Amino acid sequence: MTGALTDIRVIEIGTLLAGPFCGQQLADHGAEVIKVEPPATGDPMRAWGQEKADGKSLWWPVVGRGKKSVTINLREAAGQDLVLRLAARADVLLENFRPGTLEKWGLAPEVLHSVNPRLIVTRVSGYGQTGPYSSQPGFGAIGEAMGGIRYTTGDPEKKPSRTGISIGDTLTAMFATIGTLNALHARNRTGKGQVVDAALYESVLAVMESLLTEYHVAGFIRERTGSIIPNIAPANAYPTRDGKVHLISGNQDTVWRRMAHAMGRPELGDDPRYATHIARGRNQAELDDLIAEWTVTLDAEELHRLLNEHGVPNGQIYRAPEMLADEHFAARHAIDWVDSPDFGAIPMQNVVPKLSDTPGEIEWSGPTLGEHNNEVLGGILGLDDDAISRLRATGVVG
C-alpha cells in the first residue's frame, strides 16, 4: 500500500452506512481497517442495495472494500473482551450504534482509554452523544430532514425529495473521517486520544450554506427551486434535439457574452435584459425559455462541442453508462476495476482525493464474512488455533 495511513489500525464495529463509509475512506488511504461483524449475519450492508445479483449485494463490495472481516459476538462478555484487546492495539475505534450501546457493552470511551490512552474513539449517531434527543434512533433520512436538505430539495410544486443517494449518511461519514484525521494529528502533539462525535443532523446542517443567517437577518426561508439556482442565470438543464438533457452554467457576465456568440445571437450579450448578473436573475425564466429554444435545435454532442469552443461551462448529465465510457474518467482512473469473489472484475469509484506521493489504492473488494478471523485473532491477539476453536464453539466467534 502507498496510502498516507498505512501506519494506522482501525477497529470498525459499526453497521450499515455512515460508520462503514468512514471506514472505507480510511481503508482507501491505507489504514488497516478490521471490521467486526456479528457471526452468521454480518453487516446488513451485505444484503442491502437497490439492485442485487443472484441475491447478493452489489453495494457491499464497495463499502466493504479494503477491510478485514472478523466475526465477534459483541453481546457476549468474551466478545467484548476481544474488542477491548483489539482496541488496546489500535489507533482508532469506529462505531455508529445508538449512544449508550458501547457503555452497555463495557466499552465506554473511558474504559477504552484505560487500556489505550492514545486511542481515537470515533462515534457516529443520529443526534450526537449528548442532548435531549441523543438516545433516540436516527437514520440518515431523519438527519437529512432535520438538517435542512430535504426541505430544500426537489420540485417546488411537490413534496420534499430525496437526493437519490444516502447523502445524510455520506456527509456524516465524511465529517467523521475529517474528525478522525484531526484527532490523529492532535495526538501527534499531545500523545492523547479523544472522542470524535459526528451527528447525522449536524453533518447535514454543516453544508446548508447561509440558510440560518438568511432567516435570522432577512427573514428569508429557502424553498425548493428544482433545477435552477434562484436569481443566477443561465444555470439550468436544457433539452437537446436527440432527447437528452444538457447542463449549462453561463451565469458570469463574460461567460454569458461568449454564450450569446455561441448561440449566434451576440446582441443578447449586451441586451439590458440579460447583460448583467442582476438583470439575468430578474429575467431568469424568460432567459431559460430563450436558451431552451436554441438548445433543442442541436444534438447533445454538437451542443457540447460548440459551447466548449466558446469557453462556456457545460456538460451532459451522466449516468453509469456515460461514466464508464468517458475518456476523462479513464485518463484520471476515476473508476477502478476490482476483483470480487462473487462477480469477477467489477467497476467502482476510485480513491479520492488524489495524493501525489501517497495516493492510496483499493486492495480488495468487500471480504467474505469472517475471512480474516485467524489472521486478526491469531496474528494480532496471539490466540492459538485451540483458543479460536473454543471461541467458535461457544458462539463468540463465527
Side-chain angles (χ1 to χ4, degrees):
M1 284 289 292
T2 58
L5 303 177
T6 53
D7 58 338
I8 299 298
R9 175 178 290 158
V10 179
I11 310 302
E12 178 192 303
I13 59 174
T15 61
L16 296 176
L17 190 53
F21 184 47
C22 173
Q24 177 198 320
Q25 293 176 87
L26 297 172
D28 282 352
H29 287 280
E32 179 189 23
V33 178
I34 298 170
K35 182 171 181 61
V36 176
E37 302 183 72
T41 58
D43 190 325
M45 288 302 298
R46 291 180 177 273
W48 279 36
Q50 288 183 284
E51 183 63 29
K52 298 181 177 66
D54 298 325
K56 297 174 181 176
S57 169
L58 295 169
W59 199 344
W60 168 251
V62 180
V63 76
R65 71 193 196 187
K67 301 177 184 178
K68 297 178 179 179
S69 173
V70 177
T71 49
I72 298 175
N73 187 347
L74 283 169
R75 300 182 187 280
E76 296 287 339
Q80 296 157 11
D81 180 65
L82 287 175
V83 168
L84 188 63
R85 292 171 65 185
L86 285 171
R89 296 160 172 81
D91 298 282
V92 179
L93 184 135
L94 166 63
E95 64 97 4
N96 67 332
F97 297 106
R98 193 185 301 189
T101 302
L102 280 193
E103 287 76 3
K104 181 179 66 176
W105 288 341
L107 296 171
E110 55 267 26
V111 175
L112 295 167
H113 284 143
S114 71
V115 300
N116 184 356
R118 292 173 55 81
L119 185 71
I120 309 303
V121 183
T122 300
R123 312 191 72 174
V124 177
S125 62
Y127 301 100
Q129 301 299 313
T130 60
Y133 300 166
S134 60
S135 63
Q136 296 181 15
F139 276 10
I142 308 305
E144 293 166 24
M146 191 173 177
I149 201 168
R150 282 286 179 121
Y151 185 79
T152 56
T153 301
D155 189 311
E157 302 301 321
K158 298 179 180 179
K159 62 183 179 181
S161 178
R162 185 173 179 269
T163 62
I165 60 169
S166 304
I167 192 69
D169 290 296
T170 302
L171 286 171
T172 308
M174 294 174 71
F175 280 112
T177 301
I178 293 169
T180 300
L181 298 177
N182 285 341
L184 287 168
H185 181 71
R187 190 183 70 176
N188 290 338
R189 295 196 311 271
T190 67
K192 293 177 55 179
Q194 60 181 295
V195 175
V196 177
D197 182 356
L200 283 160
Y201 85 97
E202 289 172 352
S203 298
V204 174
L205 179 64
V207 300
M208 294 308 296
E209 300 173 349
S210 54
L211 177 141
L212 295 172
T213 310
E214 290 166 356
Y215 172 69
H216 178 74
V217 175
F220 177 76
I221 294 179
R222 289 198 186 191
E223 302 288 344
R224 292 180 294 286
T225 60
S227 63
I228 69 167
I229 306 174
N231 300 320
I232 296 178
N236 207 342
Y238 302 93
T240 62
R241 183 169 57 194
D242 51 354
K244 297 180 179 179
V245 179
H246 207 77
L247 200 69
I248 303 174
S249 183
N251 46 287
Q252 191 177 1
D253 289 352
T254 55
V255 176
W256 163 244
R257 285 194 288 273
R258 295 199 298 268
M259 183 172 171
H261 278 271
M263 295 171 66
R265 300 187 61 182
E267 73 279 2
L268 293 176
D270 298 314
D271 189 312
R273 294 172 297 171
Y274 314 125
T276 66
H277 173 78
I278 293 174
R280 288 192 301 278
R282 189 180 299 121
N283 297 288
Q284 185 168 27
E286 174 186 315
L287 181 58
D288 275 344
D289 288 343
L290 187 152
I291 293 170
E293 291 173 2
W294 169 65
T295 61
V296 79
T297 67
L298 302 169
D299 288 344
E301 282 301 318
E302 184 181 3
L303 177 63
H304 184 50
R305 177 186 56 77
L306 183 61
L307 290 172
N308 280 347
E309 288 175 356
H310 286 80
V312 179
N314 75 101
Q316 184 182 337
I317 298 176
Y318 276 15
R319 305 165 302 156
E322 290 78 28
M323 296 174 187
L324 288 166
D326 190 280
E327 63 179 359
H328 190 77
F329 279 64
R332 284 182 55 82
H333 304 287
I335 296 172
D336 196 10
W337 289 81
V338 184
D339 287 332
S340 162
D342 294 320
F343 310 115
I346 54 175
M348 61 182 70
Q349 53 271 46
N350 210 339
V351 177
V352 294
K354 299 183 184 300
L355 278 66
S356 61
D357 294 337
T358 55
E361 63 181 292
I362 303 170
E363 284 204 276
W364 56 78
S365 64
T368 58
L369 185 61
E371 180 178 341
H372 301 92
N373 278 356
N374 289 345
E375 176 185 337
V376 171
L377 299 178
I380 296 177
L381 296 187
L383 300 182
D384 59 28
D385 290 344
D386 289 340
I388 296 174
S389 296
R390 287 193 297 271
L391 289 170
R392 186 173 289 114
T394 58
V396 174
V397 173

